[in-house]
Amino acid sequence: ILAFSRRLLPERSSLSGMAHPERKAAFVTEIVVPEGSPLVGRTVSEVFSDTDLTILELVRGEEIILPASAGELALLIDDALIIEGRPQEIDSFLTKSQADLASVVEDDTRVPMKTIEMKLAEAVVLPDSPFEGRTVSGLRLNAHYGVKVMAVQRHGRQHLYHIRRMRVHAGDVLLIQADDAGLNELRESEAVLVVEEVDQTRVNKRKAPLVVLTLIGVVAAAALTSGMAGVPSLAHLAIIGVALVLVTRCIRVDEALRSLDTTVLLLLAAAIPLAGAIQQTGLDEKAVSGILALVGGGDINPYVLLSAFYLLTSVLTTFLSNSAVAVLLFPIAMKLAMATGINHESLLVAICFGASASFASPLGYQTNLIVMGPGGYTFRDYLKIGLPLNFLMWAAATVFIPVFWPLKGAA
């Protein structure tokens, strides 16, 4: 990645290349010069000479003036400036210039922005978010959280106008304005990931050592008691650890419940009846026969079989979610282990790594999709840098999985 990412993943300018080519995750918004602002009477070039903001347009009445012609013009009251910059830069400029942000989307209407009491933040729409497919106005962010939407960024391009009717999708980035309480409530909804704020999120660092000690204790107890009879299992030890952090108030019960990923829980629950259905219908036997026929029969070298199974998992994860692939291949891996005498743990670990280390498409893993919007990446970018990484992981898994999970262990 360090050697080739700069060549394979070039920086892309946004808004048709008008912005600075090295600017990352910039947003476009509109400010209005009010009466009494220190900007009145100053030229555009003078105002922006000592900032990192980029002016895209000066709107004076019904006239739109491009930067090349606006540089020496003196700013007047009610002039509108279309600017690009990072949230911190926009907020700092507004504070110093006493200018007003033109308007934001407050559910169904546009309203004047408030910047003294409010903060700017970026929020990425997460996969499986309840916001998926809904319009910006239909989200009712102001009604529920007191959050106003300033702009939307999709695939590295900003959208300022007509955003009320835009339908948001996973990976979209919202530039929002809210107070501390609103940002916290929106973050706790787990519909978006707040990736950048003007002020850092407050965390309870005082409890951090206790959480670390609890985690180390659970892992150490599981390692020391592994294989012993009459001792708590790893699941029981994990439950004890959760109880400790709840009793010591490192986390509240409602926070713990919100942290549970219902999608993953449902997939895990569905794995049991799905495995039964695959076995009852004989699909596992057909899949095993197909895999063995593809790699050369039951007498094939177990290293080749493991490598082929990892490759199958990685390819499927390129088109399906990693959780779905893991659920689908689990019963097939168990049947394949029984048919060949290979240690089932080796195949299950191959599923874990193959389904979690797929970088060739945004669908391969949730984080792949999350970074697509802020990074301005395309499907082609994932292929250029992700496909070589997939092959690298394939080779590494083929070599190292048998080292830690021997292929001829207890099946």
Side-chain angles (χ1 to χ4, degrees):
I1 293 177
L2 293 176
F4 300 104
S5 60
R6 289 185 177 273
R7 295 183 180 180
L8 296 177
L9 300 176
E11 296 287 350
R12 293 187 178 86
S13 59
S14 55
L15 203 62
S16 301
M18 287 194 296
H20 193 281
E22 294 182 356
R23 184 176 298 275
K24 296 180 180 179
F27 282 86
V28 176
T29 193
E30 179 183 2
I31 68 170
V32 177
V33 180
E35 185 177 358
S37 170
L39 297 180
V40 176
R42 298 179 62 188
T43 65
V44 172
S45 58
E46 179 185 357
V47 168
F48 290 96
S49 62
D50 58 348
T51 72
D52 293 324
L53 299 174
T54 300
I55 179 170
L56 304 180
E57 290 178 356
L58 167 63
V59 182
R60 179 168 291 171
E62 298 297 325
E63 182 183 7
I64 297 177
I65 307 172
L66 297 178
S69 305
E72 300 305 319
L73 294 179
L75 292 173
L76 305 177
I77 297 174
D78 292 331
D79 277 353
L81 300 169
I82 310 299
I83 61 174
E84 183 196 48
R86 298 174 67 85
Q88 297 98 326
E89 298 162 359
I90 295 174
D91 190 70
S92 176
F93 180 78
L94 290 170
T95 302
K96 293 178 181 178
S97 64
Q98 300 176 24
D100 297 325
L101 283 165
S103 61
V104 290
V105 173
E106 188 177 273
D107 295 341
D108 295 327
T109 59
R110 276 191 172 273
V111 297
M113 294 185 187
K114 303 172 184 178
T115 58
I116 298 178
E117 302 87 358
M118 312 286 274
K119 295 181 178 179
L120 301 177
E122 297 176 16
V124 182
V125 180
L126 296 172
D128 302 319
S129 168
F131 292 174
E132 174 72 33
R134 297 168 61 185
T135 61
V136 172
S137 61
L139 297 178
R140 310 291 295 175
L141 293 180
N142 184 67
H144 295 308
Y145 311 107
V147 171
K148 301 170 178 61
V149 181
M150 295 169 55
V152 178
Q153 185 187 66
R154 177 173 294 165
H155 298 171
R157 297 187 179 276
Q158 295 82 20
H159 301 268
L160 175 66
Y161 305 106
H162 309 298
I163 62 175
R164 279 174 289 173
R165 296 190 294 272
M166 284 187 63
R167 294 190 180 274
V168 299
H169 300 287
D172 286 353
V173 185
L174 309 179
L175 180 62
I176 57 177
Q177 184 189 43
D179 57 16
D180 284 330
L183 286 176
N184 288 334
E185 290 181 10
L186 180 62
R187 186 186 302 108
E188 290 177 358
S189 72
E190 297 185 356
V192 297
L193 174 67
V194 179
V195 295
E196 180 175 335
E197 290 183 31
V198 176
D199 294 331
Q200 296 296 321
T201 304
R202 292 189 297 269
V203 294
N204 187 3
K205 295 182 179 180
R206 187 169 58 88
K207 299 284 189 177
L210 184 57
V211 175
V212 173
L213 288 176
T214 302
L215 177 61
I216 294 175
V218 170
V219 174
L224 294 175
T225 59
S226 178
M228 297 176 59
V231 297
S233 65
L234 177 59
H236 292 113
L237 291 173
I239 294 175
I240 294 173
V242 171
L244 284 176
V245 297
L246 289 175
V247 170
T248 54
R249 297 185 179 181
C250 296
I251 186 174
R252 302 194 308 269
V253 175
D254 60 319
E255 293 174 332
L257 293 175
R258 279 196 300 269
S259 67
L260 296 175
D261 192 329
T262 54
T263 302
V264 173
L265 293 177
L266 289 174
L267 279 171
L268 292 175
I272 299 175
L274 180 61
I278 291 176
Q279 292 173 356
Q280 290 294 329
T281 59
L283 181 60
D284 55 347
E285 295 181 358
K286 293 181 180 179
V288 169
S289 299
I291 293 174
L292 292 178
L294 187 64
V295 298
D299 296 330
I300 190 70
N301 187 305
Y303 287 89
V304 175
L305 183 58
L306 173 71
S307 181
F309 196 75
Y310 181 96
L311 180 61
L312 173 65
T313 305
S314 181
V315 170
L316 289 177
T317 308
T318 303
F319 306 101
L320 303 173
S321 73
N322 64 313
S323 301
V325 171
V327 169
L328 179 65
L329 291 183
F330 171 77
I332 297 175
M334 297 300 293
K335 190 69 175 182
L336 186 61
M338 293 176 60
T340 60
I342 292 180
N343 183 7
H344 67 279
E345 292 183 352
S346 303
L347 296 179
L348 296 181
V349 171
I351 293 178
C352 293
F353 281 97
S356 301
S358 182
F359 312 104
S361 82
L363 304 177
Y365 201 69
Q366 293 90 333
T367 48
N368 294 10
L369 187 59
I370 290 174
V371 302
M372 186 178 185
Y377 300 131
T378 64
F379 276 86
R380 185 179 179 183
D381 294 327
Y382 284 90
L383 287 175
K384 287 192 297 185
I385 194 71
L387 205 55
L389 285 176
N390 278 8
F391 282 115
L392 182 63
M393 289 297 300
W394 178 29
T398 303
V399 173
F400 290 108
I401 287 179
V403 174
F404 297 97
W405 292 273
L407 295 177
K408 288 299 181 180

